[in-house]
Amino acid sequence: MTQIRLYMDEDAMDRQLVQAFRARGLDVITVGELEITGTSDEKHLVLATELGRVIYTFNVGDFCRLHSTSMALENSHAGIIIGSQQHCSVGTQLRGIMRLIAVKSAEEMINQLVFLSDYITND
């Protein structure tokens, strides 16, 4: 089983969060590092899939739609994690992602859309 590698879109690429992920050994890239900010969400999903990375985003509407469209067209993607910008600290996001990675592999994330809130506890 392969560990999830993250692709952080423009909404989610908080510098402190990226540093926190990397400090815990997570493999993370951002659209800023790839110098592709402003690219369409469709292209981000394709690129993340080509790179074998799960997208982490706060963009609920667009990525739920893209996931539904991909499944209807029988297109595959590497996975989508949807977080929440509201009332979700760096620490909370980090703990949620770490819980998710502890129970799901990269292979298990293929064609999955998950909400980070399902992995956040009140601890």
Side-chain angles (χ1 to χ4, degrees):
M1 299 290 205
T2 308
Q3 183 173 318
I4 292 170
R5 299 179 320 139
L6 295 175
Y7 178 107
M8 296 178 73
D9 80 351
E10 291 174 62
D11 296 331
M13 62 178 195
D14 178 273
R15 184 181 50 80
Q16 290 179 318
L17 183 59
V18 171
Q19 289 175 341
F21 285 157
R22 289 183 175 147
R24 272 114 187 129
L26 299 182
D27 185 339
V28 178
I29 60 169
T30 71
V31 298
E33 293 165 344
L34 295 172
E35 298 180 354
I36 54 172
T37 56
T39 300
S40 72
D41 293 329
E42 291 86 354
K43 289 182 181 176
H44 284 305
L45 187 60
V46 169
L47 180 57
T49 299
E50 289 172 355
L51 296 173
R53 292 179 176 272
V54 175
I55 288 185
Y56 181 53
T57 185
F58 299 140
N59 188 340
V60 178
D62 288 343
F63 279 95
C64 283
R65 177 185 52 78
L66 286 170
H67 171 71
S68 295
T69 301
S70 291
M71 296 303 92
L73 296 173
E74 298 183 6
N75 292 335
S76 186
H77 63 75
I80 301 167
I81 302 168
I82 297 180
S84 172
Q85 276 180 300
Q86 298 178 343
H87 313 295
C88 202
S89 68
V90 167
T92 299
Q93 291 176 73
L94 175 65
R95 287 187 297 278
I97 291 286
M98 296 304 290
R99 283 186 188 105
L100 171 61
I101 288 173
V103 298
K104 285 194 179 277
S105 68
E107 294 83 4
E108 291 169 324
M109 281 299 298
I110 293 173
N111 295 328
Q112 299 298 305
L113 181 141
V114 300
F115 289 89
L116 187 61
S117 58
D118 293 340
Y119 296 88
I120 294 174
T121 61
N122 296 326
D123 49 17

